[in-house]
Amino acid sequence: MTDKRKSQAAGIAGGVINGLFGGGGGMVLLPLLSKWRKLEARSSFATCVAIIFPMCCVSTAVYLWEVRPALSTVLPYLAGGVAGGLIGGLTFEKVPVRFLKVIFGLFLLYGGVRYLLW
């Protein structure tokens, strides 16, 4: 499979996961960016965020149109997410890559166990 086809397949997989679950496309993209594109870890994380942002915008538009969640439910999470995104973005270069990998792996493990057991 060519690099272009691999990239398209990874994008489709990430988009489908993001659309089905309202997020999580990065869990598919991050390992593929590292393996197929041979990006170093920090570049993989940053590239993944750049790819996921437009996917999340599309998913958000669809959910707002179809599900119409109450803004009173959404706003506290949005405010926390914005604050967390700023903190994470500003400290990203200062955090060791090994720590980023461990934290990402723990989130994946937690999410997998949580969805299987609850």
Side-chain angles (χ1 to χ4, degrees), residues 16-32:
V16 168
I17 296 298
N18 217 63
L20 284 174
F21 302 113
M27 289 185 262
V28 173
L29 289 174
L30 187 63
L32 296 178

Side-chain angles (χ1 to χ4, degrees), residues 23 46 110 113:
Y110 168 76
V113 169

Side-chain angles (χ1 to χ4, degrees), residues 45-117:
F45 283 111
T47 303
C48 187
V49 170
I51 294 168
I52 289 299
F53 178 70
M55 284 185 201
C56 287
C57 291
V58 170
S59 295
T60 298
V62 171
Y63 283 129
L64 287 173
W65 181 260
E66 294 292 325
V67 180
R68 299 192 173 131
L71 285 179
S72 61
T73 303
V74 173
L75 288 178
Y77 292 98
L78 182 59
V82 168
L86 284 171
I87 292 167
L90 292 172
T91 59
F92 178 68
E93 286 290 325
K94 298 170 181 77
V95 178
V97 171
R98 178 78 179 137
F99 184 72
L100 290 173
K101 288 181 176 183
V102 168
I103 293 298
F104 185 75
L106 289 173
F107 276 121
L108 286 176
L109 185 61
Y110 168 76
V113 169
R114 183 175 168 265
Y115 282 113
L116 285 173
L117 298 179

